[in-house]
Amino acid sequence: MASLETISSIDTAPRHPIRLVANRTGLTVDLIRAWEKRYHVVDPARSDTKRRLYSDYDIERLRLIRIAKQNGRRLVDVAPLTLEALRDVVSEDSRYDQAQENQAEVYRPSWTSPLESTDTQDDIDAMLFAVQTMDQHRFDQLLQEGLVKQSLPAYLETVIGPLLREIGESTRLGKLRIAHEHMATAHLRTFIGALRFRETYTGSEPKIVITTPTGQLHELGALMVAALVSVDGWLPVYLGPNTPADEIVACALQSGARAVSLSLTYPADDPRIPTELTRLRSQLDGKIPVFVGGSAAAHHHELIDRLGIESPLTLDALRESLKAVRDGRYQGSIK
Amino acid sequence: MASLETISSIDTAPRHPIRLVANRTGLTVDLIRAWEKRYHVVDPARSDTKRRLYSDYDIERLRLIRIAKQNGRRLVDVAPLTLEALRDVVSEDSRYDQAQENQAEVYRPSWTSPLESTDTQDDIDAMLFAVQTMDQHRFDQLLQEGLVKQSLPAYLETVIGPLLREIGESTRLGKLRIAHEHMATAHLRTFIGALRFRETYTGSEPKIVITTPTGQLHELGALMVAALVSVDGWLPVYLGPNTPADEIVACALQSGARAVSLSLTYPADDPRIPTELTRLRSQLDGKIPVFVGGSAAAHHHELIDRLGIESPLTLDALRESLKAVRDGRYQGSIK
DNA sequence: TTTGTCTGGACAAAACTGGGACAACATTGC
DNA sequence: GCAATGTTGTCCCAGTTTTGTCCAGACAAA
């Protein structure tokens, strides 16, 4: 295996013991050995006392295979694939998977496991418990672990989003203290903020300005969008929350952005929103599309339609629209 | 005075008995000796009566090795590593999914002199320029590079702090737009927030609650403190900005924190500050010291003194006071 | 005196290895 | 539908390596 030509820059030097591989991939030690025994999923080098020694390349393979399985692939099918082929399979699944998420239960083949949904709910519950017990360290750990199991877009949609809603809800109902919510929010701000730096930038990516308009102080939704679009080859110009329309325009023009994305959450009926949106749309070159999302976007449905602003209903819909923009296929308000 | 920092600011003077080392690292005395016997993990100096005397350097090594083991490394593999190599291994392991693409080629223009003599003001100017040109990517790059040149505490004190002040000042004078400031602030929020995860935690660190009181919406100062104290072996419970006194108390008690730190910046004369501070001090067990810092702390000098709240003038003074608390040497308001 | 540290060695628990068994479940063929 | 077959995660075993703990007797510190 050491002679495998690797296009990617992943290190093939064998050095990691099996326990560490288990930690990183979320697989059990037994399972890693079983996979090797049955399908030669990996073929680790050995120490002088026959201990298995894995390379970074092996770990990445195992991680991807785990995600592929989570998406319903069979081990037999994915085991022989190269790393590149695995990447393709996984990224393809992540989108298809989410599209199905929004469809009727009936059509769902058995392999889009009940396991997955209960599994993620378990994860979220565990995170809520960590928040409730003020265990910031555990909270971070759970967030990191969850990310191993699926692709970034799927993770944002199925874990982070629901988690944010549940934290908000629990605080409103008094199940969590304000201090708990503060802690969780502050930590998520750091965590989500770091997500987009998992991607590598070449400098030639199209830019997108991401923020929230005046009066909207909650930035996590916008930050999620920034992480999300990074995956699809955008370079976010992230401005944080509460940016006046004029400033958004100035920023978009100066940076040469190809799109603008806003997040609306709370308060939903802020009277400044219509003013700001109108102002923004009118000052921007018509070629720069504006996207609006977040739970409060629905409250301004008519206005948004009238202004010719896009308002995708899911993160996945946003991704698709942005791909059209990026590839030059965007042509005004589609809807 | 030229800022010639030693590569690592860790003291190599041998002075700690084995018991203290065990307490600080969470290892048993027997184990420390066993590791030395079998793998020469450390090679402590000896007193004239053959007692082992460990340096801060040794302690750091042992701490890291313990964490490496928790991550699944084998003792045989990590024992021979240098402190720097250990740091790399550990931070790689605990943040395995954090893409480290910082290996980008460093083409250093001929006009920049060698690393040591580069003036920090030049760095800050370059950062300001990146902000002004909305070059977020470059801004991030400069931040990362600057961090390599010095220790984290020194970096916060000499680069990040001044940078924040200059950005604020420039915005007020109209040299920067609000959009620029937003971009910079949002990015720094992510960057500083991630800093404390350069450190690794064993779970046995004393905790410190860090936040800003009601009305204080700027969190970067508090976040800097969180990053800072992580270096000295504290586990920050970071609550973000704008936390009511009652919630701070609840959080401190629930998490079993050994200290509380607040940051005051703007507005300096908010009438809620005295109320909140008084409330906080009176509700907290007298054994939990409260520290207040930030540019607005001076405005409340008398009150702070009267309440017996600590108000160290520099980040360094804060570190020292916290060390006293951590090692049980704290005894009420010292001043 | 009492408590803590030292050395060297013994011992036991934990972890890893190859091999195999087995139950849960999915798929296929009828 | 139902039975046969295939897939896959988990567990058990016995032998080896690695690692944590304990002990005894000598000495040092408080």
Side-chain angles (χ1 to χ4, degrees):
Chain A
M1 163 78 66
S3 61
L4 262 184
E5 88 289 4
T6 54
I7 300 168
S8 67
S9 56
I10 295 182
D11 195 354
T12 57
R15 51 211 175 84
H16 310 291
I18 194 169
R19 172 55 46 104
L20 179 121
V21 179
N23 280 348
R24 284 203 196 179
T25 58
L27 300 166
T28 66
V29 173
D30 268 331
L31 197 49
I32 296 172
R33 274 199 297 260
W35 286 3
E36 177 190 333
K37 180 162 57 177
R38 290 171 182 154
Y39 305 103
H40 301 284
V41 167
V42 285
D43 181 18
R46 298 301 182 113
S47 77
D48 41 5
T49 54
K50 303 217 286 182
R51 297 303 212 247
R52 289 174 173 80
L53 293 174
Y54 296 84
S55 66
D56 288 345
Y57 183 94
D58 294 330
I59 292 177
E60 185 60 11
R61 253 185 84 81
L62 289 168
R63 205 180 67 83
L64 286 170
I65 288 180
R66 177 167 189 221
I67 294 172
K69 281 204 52 100
Q70 203 107 30
N71 288 338
R73 298 279 173 185
R74 300 187 329 155
L75 187 49
V76 243
D77 298 330
V78 290
L81 299 181
T82 66
L83 193 67
E84 286 70 28
L86 266 172
R87 283 221 173 91
D88 291 344
V89 165
V90 165
S91 78
E92 185 187 328
D93 287 348
S94 78
R95 264 178 302 143
Y96 184 64
D97 219 33
Q98 283 175 54
Q100 279 205 340
E101 202 74 32
N102 303 322
Q103 290 181 2
E105 295 280 322
V106 202
Y107 176 56
R108 173 169 306 184
S110 50
W111 52 259
T112 51
S113 47
L115 193 141
E116 169 162 340
S117 52
T118 64
D119 214 25
T120 47
Q121 187 57 50
D122 284 352
D123 285 354
I124 293 173
D125 288 345
M127 290 175 193
L128 284 171
F129 182 75
V131 169
Q132 198 172 28
T133 54
M134 279 279 164
D135 192 342
Q136 202 169 3
H137 192 245
R138 176 80 184 134
F139 185 43
D140 185 60
Q141 203 180 355
L142 288 166
L143 286 169
Q144 297 283 357
E145 283 173 11
L147 188 49
V148 176
K149 300 183 192 166
Q150 26 187 345
S151 64
L152 180 52
Y155 182 62
L156 290 173
E157 186 97 55
T158 65
V159 179
I160 301 294
L163 175 67
L164 281 170
R165 281 190 288 277
E166 293 206 26
I167 288 175
E169 187 71 2
S170 299
T171 310
R172 212 172 46 75
L173 296 175
K175 286 194 224 163
L176 292 179
R177 295 196 67 119
I178 293 177
H180 295 127
E181 188 191 26
H182 268 223
M183 188 276 269
T185 304
H187 195 85
L188 281 166
R189 172 60 183 80
T190 299
F191 179 76
I192 304 175
L195 286 182
R196 73 187 169 99
F197 295 101
R198 291 158 44 96
E199 306 301 323
T200 47
Y201 300 105
T202 65
S204 62
E205 291 85 2
K207 292 183 183 174
I208 176 171
V209 173
I210 300 174
T211 183
T212 79
T214 305
Q216 295 285 313
L217 302 180
H218 291 37
E219 63 173 319
L220 291 187
L223 204 55
M224 282 172 64
V225 171
L228 183 76
V229 302
S230 298
V231 175
D232 293 324
W234 286 83
L235 179 61
V237 178
Y238 179 70
L239 297 184
N242 200 28
T243 311
D246 293 349
E247 295 296 325
I248 300 176
V249 172
C251 172
L253 296 182
Q254 190 193 346
S255 63
R258 298 267 304 276
V260 171
S261 171
L262 301 181
S263 167
L264 305 181
T265 50
Y266 178 87
D269 55 354
D270 192 306
R272 283 170 291 185
I273 292 181
T275 326
E276 292 286 295
L277 287 184
T278 310
R279 211 174 162 75
L280 176 66
R281 182 64 283 180
S282 71
Q283 288 187 47
L284 269 184
D285 185 328
K287 282 181 197 158
I288 303 184
V290 176
F291 295 84
V292 168
S295 56
H299 281 70
H300 304 273
H301 193 276
E302 297 152 32
L303 175 74
I304 288 173
D305 270 1
R306 184 146 39 81
L307 291 175
I309 291 178
E310 304 286 328
S311 177
L313 293 177
T314 65
L315 289 180
D316 209 45
L318 173 63
R319 288 177 80 189
E320 283 308 318
S321 299
L322 281 177
K323 276 185 191 166
V325 174
R326 188 190 59 192
D327 300 343
R329 290 184 280 112
Y330 176 78
Q331 36 205 341
S333 179
I334 311 169
K335 290 251 65 175
Chain B
M1 165 139 119
S3 55
L4 261 182
E5 279 275 317
T6 42
I7 302 170
S8 117
S9 55
I10 295 180
D11 195 352
T12 56
R15 47 211 172 82
H16 308 294
I18 195 167
R19 168 69 49 188
L20 183 141
V21 179
N23 285 342
R24 286 232 186 137
T25 57
L27 301 166
T28 67
V29 173
D30 271 329
L31 197 49
I32 296 171
R33 276 198 294 259
W35 283 3
E36 179 189 334
K37 179 162 57 177
R38 289 172 180 151
Y39 302 103
H40 303 284
V41 167
V42 285
D43 183 18
R46 298 298 183 116
S47 74
D48 41 5
T49 56
K50 303 220 283 184
R51 297 293 158 105
R52 289 176 174 80
L53 292 175
Y54 296 85
S55 64
D56 287 346
Y57 183 95
D58 293 329
I59 293 178
E60 185 61 10
R61 250 185 88 79
L62 289 167
R63 237 190 85 229
L64 288 170
I65 288 182
R66 177 174 178 226
I67 295 165
K69 279 199 56 87
Q70 276 175 352
N71 287 336
R73 296 280 168 191
R74 300 188 319 158
L75 191 47
V76 227
D77 296 330
V78 290
L81 300 181
T82 66
L83 188 68
E84 287 69 31
L86 262 174
R87 281 225 173 87
D88 290 346
V89 164
V90 164
S91 82
E92 181 196 339
D93 287 350
S94 47
R95 298 281 128 198
Y96 50 87
D97 38 13
Q98 188 175 26
Q100 300 289 18
E101 77 290 342
N102 302 334
Q103 302 293 0
E105 68 283 5
V106 186
Y107 265 125
R108 199 160 279 284
S110 53
W111 48 264
T112 51
S113 18
L115 281 177
E116 291 76 25
S117 61
T118 306
D119 193 6
T120 50
Q121 187 57 47
D122 286 350
D123 287 352
I124 294 174
D125 288 346
M127 291 176 192
L128 284 170
F129 183 74
V131 169
Q132 196 170 30
T133 54
M134 280 277 164
D135 192 340
Q136 203 169 1
H137 194 244
R138 175 79 184 135
F139 185 42
D140 185 60
Q141 203 178 356
L142 288 166
L143 285 170
Q144 299 281 359
E145 283 174 13
L147 185 51
V148 178
K149 299 180 193 170
Q150 33 187 339
S151 68
L152 180 53
Y155 183 63
L156 290 173
E157 187 97 57
T158 66
V159 179
I160 301 294
L163 175 66
L164 280 170
R165 281 189 287 275
E166 293 207 26
I167 289 175
E169 187 71 4
S170 298
T171 310
R172 209 180 36 246
L173 295 176
K175 288 195 220 164
L176 292 178
R177 296 197 66 122
I178 293 178
H180 296 126
E181 187 190 28
H182 269 225
M183 188 275 270
T185 305
H187 195 85
L188 282 167
R189 172 61 182 79
T190 299
F191 179 76
I192 304 175
L195 286 183
R196 72 184 168 101
F197 294 102
R198 288 160 45 95
E199 304 301 320
T200 40
Y201 301 104
T202 63
S204 59
E205 291 85 2
K207 294 183 182 173
I208 176 170
V209 174
I210 300 174
T211 183
T212 78
T214 305
Q216 294 286 313
L217 301 179
H218 291 36
E219 63 174 320
L220 290 186
L223 204 55
M224 282 172 63
V225 171
L228 183 76
V229 301
S230 300
V231 175
D232 294 323
W234 286 82
L235 178 61
V237 178
Y238 180 69
L239 297 184
N242 200 28
T243 311
D246 293 349
E247 295 296 326
I248 300 176
V249 171
C251 173
L253 296 183
Q254 190 192 347
S255 62
R258 299 265 305 273
V260 171
S261 171
L262 302 180
S263 167
L264 305 181
T265 51
Y266 179 85
D269 54 356
D270 192 308
R272 283 170 291 185
I273 292 181
T275 326
E276 293 285 294
L277 287 185
T278 310
R279 212 175 160 74
L280 177 66
R281 182 63 282 179
S282 72
Q283 289 186 47
L284 270 184
D285 186 327
K287 281 181 198 159
I288 304 182
V290 177
F291 296 84
V292 167
S295 56
H299 282 70
H300 304 273
H301 194 276
E302 297 154 32
L303 176 72
I304 287 174
D305 270 1
R306 183 148 38 82
L307 291 175
I309 292 177
E310 304 287 326
S311 178
L313 293 177
T314 64
L315 290 180
D316 225 39
L318 173 63
R319 290 178 76 190
E320 282 309 316
S321 299
L322 282 177
K323 277 184 192 165
V325 174
R326 187 192 61 193
D327 297 344
R329 290 184 282 110
Y330 177 78
Q331 37 203 341
S333 183
I334 309 171
K335 296 254 57 182

